[in-house]
Amino acid sequence: MNRRAQLRLAISALLVLLTTSLYAQAAPAFDQFFRDKTMRVDYFHTAGKSIAEIVALDDVVSDGPWAGSRTRLLDETNLGDFFLVVLDRDTSRQIYSRGFSSIFGEWITTPEAKTAYRTFHESLRFPWPKHPVHVVLQRRNEDGAGFHEIWDTVIDPDSRFVNRADLQPAGKVWSLIDNGPSSEKVDILLLSEGYTAAELPKFHADAKRLVDALFREEPFKSRRKDFNVRGMDVAAAESGGNRPQVNEFRRTVVGTSYNTFDSERYVLTLDNKAFRNIASGAPYEFVEILVNSKQYGGGGIYNDQATAAVDTAFAEYVFVHEFGHHFADLADEYYTSDVAYETGASYHQEPWQPNATALHDPDHLKWKDLVDRGTPIPTPWDKQQFEEMDKAFQKRRRALLARKAPEAEVDALFREGQAAETKLLGSMKYSGKVGAFEGANYEATGEYRPEADCIMFTRDEVPFCRVCQRAITNIIDLYSRP
């Protein structure tokens, strides 16, 4: 590690320490600054080619009751591509903050961003202020340390340009898990996508099956009482999801589609306003959209959205994996699958995601406290053998996709790969140990994951690694602890 990198890390650590100390001393009182209601600021986020990004206000509306914590109003996690800061206008005191990521933040890492312009619709959500506030949108610095301001606006909650009316729920809201007041629990909302009115009982069954899968995994299992989970019935005119790659087109209610960034398995909604208007009918902090489809697919963006196709053989895995992205900003630990993002850089900044590292300083590994004495850093594993096996698997998968093979054949190939990977990754010297295993975050070299195998690495029937479990626990505490 060179002296410049060491200095940058030291400054970053000092800033985090000072900021955390400041937040601890200046925690705002909810009732002093806020009402029991959610304000949503909608805006357009534009960039492309070589232009600087542009943020333009769209609307300020009510987004239903406030479901978040009334005590943990300031975010100290240092997660996400972006950071929302809400300041009391009269005193400039920080009264709310949250980190988050966005589809825009992912798109600017794709090759298309160098050749085209695109605009994305996004939202900022925070408790309804009693008095005028200064809303500041920040973006993470290029070196990954800290944030800088990219846009701000002043909002008077009593202004005639602020729409205080609530929307009626788009469908029936029903409870899967109810453990108490929203302000003291983590609130998850499941939306149906591609279910006709006659298929809504199937949505209820799918939701229960997938939620059960989530709460079989630690730390969700041990912390189940800290959650509320609700479903919302959003009836579709036509069954199924939008699947452009096989010419099955749908105009879906929530706006989800396969082929996000031209990745056949990546499912997201880009219709943010429709998505947010529907979700506003129920209290929520996190949303997962269940897509009534047999094609393998899903997606997850931190503090934005998660999706999962419900009828593949690996639907439970996809639901849990994508929720890991959405809930705790967990990085993908795999690196052999095709992705839409540019990879292969000669130098890797230290990622902010809690379960990946560039390992510039092995003596200061960010999860060092979880590493057993005697485990080498970096940690050896059968990397070449794994890559050769996975290369053959990916070749066969691409062939299936090229001939538009039935999903049952794709699922069978996944099961075959799962069995081989489980055997290899579970039989190595440091299997089950926390270390630093090269290959993570879509990069074959230069980035490292905490354990040989994890839900964020493969489809194998393994738990979240201990580093991921700790990261998830931190978010549960952020929303459920006084």
Side-chain angles (χ1 to χ4, degrees), residues 97-151:
S97 63
R98 275 301 179 270
F100 68 99
S101 294
S102 68
I103 298 173
F104 172 92
E106 292 198 355
W107 176 75
I108 57 176
T109 68
T110 67
E112 185 186 49
K114 295 181 178 180
T115 61
Y117 301 101
R118 289 193 70 173
T119 296
F120 296 84
H121 193 272
E122 299 175 351
S123 298
L124 304 172
R125 302 175 72 246
F126 49 91
W128 194 276
K130 291 183 175 180
H131 309 289
V133 290
H134 184 196
V135 178
V136 180
L137 176 60
Q138 300 177 346
R139 181 176 170 187
R140 189 173 290 274
N141 297 329
E142 289 187 4
D143 64 2
F147 298 83
H148 62 276
E149 181 179 326
I150 59 172
W151 178 77

Side-chain angles (χ1 to χ4, degrees), residues 173-210:
V173 178
W174 49 281
S175 178
L176 289 91
I177 300 174
D178 185 356
N179 282 313
S182 292
S183 60
E184 300 172 9
K185 305 297 174 182
V186 182
D187 292 275
I188 301 173
L189 177 62
L190 307 180
L191 299 179
S192 63
E193 177 78 306
Y195 293 82
T196 64
E199 291 174 318
L200 289 175
K202 178 181 183 298
F203 168 59
H204 287 229
D206 290 337
K208 183 181 184 306
R209 170 171 56 91
L210 297 175

Side-chain angles (χ1 to χ4, degrees), residues 102-112 118 120 242-245 252 254-271 289 291 295-301 304-307 322 334 338-341 442:
S102 68
I103 298 173
F104 172 92
E106 292 198 355
W107 176 75
I108 57 176
T109 68
T110 67
E112 185 186 49
R118 289 193 70 173
F120 296 84
N242 187 43
R243 303 170 63 207
Q245 76 285 356
T252 61
V254 190
T256 61
S257 178
Y258 288 82
N259 276 81
T260 300
F261 304 149
D262 205 28
S263 173
E264 42 83 21
R265 68 184 184 277
Y266 199 11
V267 183
L268 293 172
T269 175
L270 274 63
D271 192 347
I289 305 165
V291 183
Q295 181 184 335
Y296 184 95
I301 297 178
D304 183 76
Q305 61 178 279
T307 70
E322 300 301 347
Y334 59 79
D338 294 332
V339 295
Y341 316 114
Y442 318 129

Side-chain angles (χ1 to χ4, degrees), residues 121-376:
H121 193 272
E122 299 175 351
S123 298
L124 304 172
R125 302 175 72 246
F126 49 91
W128 194 276
K130 291 183 175 180
H131 309 289
V133 290
H134 184 196
V135 178
V136 180
L137 176 60
Q138 300 177 346
R139 181 176 170 187
R140 189 173 290 274
N141 297 329
E142 289 187 4
D143 64 2
F147 298 83
H148 62 276
E149 181 179 326
I150 59 172
W151 178 77
D152 73 302
T153 189
V154 172
I155 297 174
D156 180 351
D158 296 324
S159 167
R160 65 182 182 277
F161 299 109
V162 174
N163 193 333
R164 295 179 285 280
D166 291 328
L167 290 171
Q168 293 299 310
K172 177 184 175 183
V173 178
W174 49 281
S175 178
L176 289 91
I177 300 174
D178 185 356
N179 282 313
S182 292
S183 60
E184 300 172 9
K185 305 297 174 182
V186 182
D187 292 275
I188 301 173
L189 177 62
L190 307 180
L191 299 179
S192 63
E193 177 78 306
Y195 293 82
T196 64
E199 291 174 318
L200 289 175
K202 178 181 183 298
F203 168 59
H204 287 229
D206 290 337
K208 183 181 184 306
R209 170 171 56 91
L210 297 175
V211 168
D212 286 348
L214 178 67
F215 285 95
R216 285 195 297 267
E217 302 294 340
E218 291 291 1
F220 296 105
K221 181 179 180 180
S222 298
R223 300 291 298 273
R224 184 186 178 98
K225 291 185 178 179
D226 290 310
F227 286 82
N228 292 329
V229 182
R230 301 174 181 85
M232 183 186 291
D233 296 341
V234 186
E238 189 174 8
S239 180
N242 187 43
R243 303 170 63 207
Q245 76 285 356
V246 293
N247 293 320
E248 289 187 7
F249 296 99
R250 303 281 191 278
R251 298 292 291 273
T252 61
V253 180
V254 190
T256 61
S257 178
Y258 288 82
N259 276 81
T260 300
F261 304 149
D262 205 28
S263 173
E264 42 83 21
R265 68 184 184 277
Y266 199 11
V267 183
L268 293 172
T269 175
L270 274 63
D271 192 347
N272 179 70
K273 177 161 280 193
F275 160 52
R276 295 295 177 185
N277 283 346
I278 291 170
S280 72
Y284 76 91
E285 287 140 345
F286 302 94
V287 181
E288 186 138 2
I289 305 165
L290 305 190
V291 183
N292 189 23
S293 175
K294 295 180 180 180
Q295 181 184 335
Y296 184 95
I301 297 178
Y302 178 56
N303 261 351
D304 183 76
Q305 61 178 279
T307 70
V310 300
D311 284 334
T312 77
F314 291 86
E316 290 85 355
Y317 161 79
V318 173
F319 181 92
V320 175
H321 174 99
E322 300 301 347
F323 193 72
H325 292 308
H326 176 43
F327 187 75
D329 202 15
L330 300 181
D332 276 319
E333 296 177 6
Y334 59 79
Y335 63 92
T336 55
S337 300
D338 294 332
V339 295
Y341 316 114
E342 292 189 314
T343 61
S346 58
Y347 177 81
H348 301 282
Q349 299 286 355
E350 177 63 22
W352 65 85
Q353 290 90 343
N355 61 321
T357 180
L359 202 63
H360 294 306
D361 186 355
D363 290 336
H364 293 87
L365 177 66
K366 61 188 178 185
W367 54 75
K368 184 178 180 179
D369 61 307
L370 297 177
V371 179
D372 291 339
R373 184 183 298 273
T375 301

